[in-house]
Amino acid sequence: MKTIITPIFVLLSLIAFGQNNAISDLWKLYGARDFESAIEKAKPLLNNDPNNADLNLIIGRAYADKSDYQNAVPYLLTTTENDTDNSWRKAWAYNYLGTCYFMLQKYEEAEKYLNECIKLNATKNATNDAYGKSLRLGYNEFYNSWKIVETEHFRFHFQKMDDEDIAIYTSVREKAFTKINGFFNSALPKKIDFFVWESKEDAKSVLKANLGFAKPEFSVVHSHYQQTKGHEMTHVISNYSTTMLAKTGLINEGTAVCFDQTTHDKEKIVKGWLKANSKKVAIKEIWSNWGAYPTELTYPLSGLFVKALIDKFGQEKFIAFFGDQSYEHAKTVFGDELDKFIDTFEGKINS
């Protein structure tokens, strides 16, 4: 009997070793964000081992990170059902299910699975990520008294506002959405969950962040009720205008400022700041080193620059450039005219 068992045991060990190596390679593909290859190579292995938690998790997460939430869900659910050790695999599957259901606008299911991840507490990273996500997505007892109002493109969450003001507020934002998306022609994956805070202090306490900000990957905005009509929603809308590969402060924030729907004289603001601080604008330096400059300068300046880019090169070229906002890509899209344009722009602003 011994001579029969030993070869079988060795064979099974070799098979298990080979599968573990294959799974390790799949995780490497996933980590390199090669989601298509990870899915393609994992599926044949899954045919022979359909309940494998790793394989299901890799495929589920890869689909979710490709924004294919519908296809991600069954693989993530299979992971939760077959990870009997309640390990990090189940934790991340719960976490990702929360994201998927939120993006599918199944809000109760999203809350359920984020809470399951937090309750499981299997790994610090997954737990912290789920908790932070639950706060940003509105799943916290703090939001229990908030009023939710749905419109064509938004799911508004109001901390404190009477019905008459809500009607005005939502109407104005819907008009802003129509105007902004008239340029970007984006197809958003869901309505924008737009959180309207009455208290900046409450927001800082709950979210551990200053208002306002957007989370385009979730189609979420958190804004103080007095903030601009268009800035944060532009971050969401523009994010879905093309495939986003690289963002820069000058272009991404500049786009939001350009479409913020205010009538501020940005050129006057910029020139006033430059004069008061005895400075000159160098666009390429700000482009590559955004954080080194004060927002009092960079925000109005970037808005002016983006508007000038659009006026010069047009909507089609701007969208073609927008997905990779680096200077190098701008040179590819706009050609040799870009540097001449920058020189002219700087000359006007520095005069």
Side-chain angles (χ1 to χ4, degrees):
M1 183 67 70
K2 184 175 181 181
T3 57
I4 297 174
I5 292 176
T6 300
I8 294 174
F9 177 78
V10 170
L11 179 61
L12 292 175
S13 297
L14 288 172
I15 292 171
F17 179 77
Q19 186 182 54
N20 288 339
N21 279 346
I23 289 173
S24 177
D25 290 341
L26 288 170
W27 277 120
K28 288 176 184 176
L29 284 174
Y30 175 84
R33 301 188 66 79
D34 189 353
F35 303 131
E36 288 287 358
S37 295
I39 292 169
E40 181 183 347
K41 292 179 183 296
K43 281 189 173 180
L45 297 176
L46 197 65
N47 290 334
N48 298 320
D49 191 4
N51 294 326
N52 186 286
D54 272 291
L55 293 173
N56 279 285
L57 183 59
I58 289 166
I59 297 172
R61 286 181 64 164
Y63 271 128
D65 287 330
K66 278 167 35 69
S67 302
D68 188 348
Y69 306 108
Q70 195 74 53
N71 274 323
V73 166
Y75 294 99
L76 296 168
L77 287 172
T78 301
T79 301
T80 65
E81 292 161 2
N82 289 281
D83 181 12
T84 56
D85 294 330
N86 291 331
S87 73
W88 61 271
R89 296 170 183 84
K90 180 177 283 189
W92 279 110
Y94 280 152
N95 187 312
Y96 268 70
L97 282 166
T99 298
C100 290
Y101 280 123
F102 185 81
M103 297 306 293
L104 293 169
Q105 299 181 94
K106 296 182 178 180
Y107 298 111
E108 289 184 4
E109 289 94 332
E111 181 177 17
K112 169 189 171 183
Y113 283 107
L114 288 175
N115 285 338
E116 288 289 345
C117 178
I118 295 166
K119 185 170 65 177
L120 185 64
N121 197 25
T123 169
K124 183 178 180 180
N125 287 343
T127 302
N128 288 346
D129 186 76
Y131 181 69
K133 199 179 294 179
S134 69
L135 292 175
R136 295 189 297 274
L137 304 187
Y139 299 130
N140 183 275
E141 62 182 12
F142 185 84
Y143 298 100
N144 288 350
S145 63
W146 287 44
K147 182 179 291 187
I148 297 176
V149 176
E150 289 201 40
T151 61
E152 182 179 359
H153 298 106
F154 297 92
R155 185 170 175 253
F156 289 98
H157 307 248
F158 291 97
Q159 182 182 17
K160 186 179 180 182
M161 191 178 289
D162 63 39
D163 290 343
E164 183 177 351
D165 287 338
I166 284 175
I168 296 170
Y169 190 97
T170 56
S171 174
V172 167
R173 267 68 191 172
E174 277 290 349
K175 289 175 183 175
F177 181 99
T178 300
K179 187 171 183 180
I180 294 165
N181 205 32
F183 179 87
F184 289 102
N185 297 314
S186 295
L188 274 64
K190 60 181 283 295
K191 291 184 178 183
I192 298 176
D193 275 270
F194 201 109
F195 293 82
V196 185
W197 291 79
E198 190 268 339
S199 169
K200 293 180 180 179
E201 293 74 22
D202 285 347
K204 183 65 179 290
S205 175
V206 173
L207 300 171
K208 311 302 181 198
N210 291 318
L211 296 175
F213 63 86
K215 293 293 181 182
E217 66 273 25
F218 301 123
S219 291
V220 164
V221 165
H222 284 268
S223 177
H224 187 254
Y225 74 95
Q226 291 180 323
Q227 287 181 286
T228 68
K229 292 176 283 187
H231 186 109
E232 300 304 343
M233 78 167 74
T234 297
H235 280 310
V236 177
I237 294 168
S238 63
N239 188 70
Y240 294 98
S241 63
T242 185
T243 300
M244 298 305 301
L245 301 174
K247 295 181 180 181
T248 63
L250 179 70
I251 303 303
N252 210 53
E253 289 301 335
T255 301
V257 173
C258 178
F259 288 89
D260 67 11
Q261 309 297 293
T262 66
T263 57
H264 300 148
D265 189 335
K266 299 176 181 69
E267 184 174 338
K268 182 178 180 181
I269 294 170
V270 169
K271 287 186 172 182
W273 189 94
L274 293 173
K275 182 178 181 180
N277 291 275
S278 302
K279 300 286 186 181
K280 298 287 186 182
V281 162
I283 288 295
K284 292 179 190 176
E285 172 61 26
I286 295 173
W287 204 327
S288 63
N289 201 15
W290 172 261
Y293 294 83
T295 57
E296 293 84 0
L297 169 67
T298 55
Y299 273 64
L301 174 67
S302 63
L304 280 175
F305 183 71
V306 166
K307 184 179 186 306
L309 266 180
I310 293 170
D311 289 345
K312 172 67 176 177
F313 296 105
Q315 183 262 3
E316 186 175 343
K317 278 197 171 183
F318 182 79
I319 296 296
F321 150 70
F322 188 73
D324 177 353
Q325 299 170 5
S326 65
Y327 167 75
E328 292 74 21
H329 188 238
K331 284 281 287 184
T332 300
V333 175
F334 302 129
D336 293 336
E337 283 189 87
L338 178 65
D339 288 336
K340 296 176 185 176
F341 163 77
I342 290 174
D343 288 342
T344 301
F345 180 85
E346 289 176 346
K348 180 181 179 182
I349 295 300
N350 289 326
S351 63

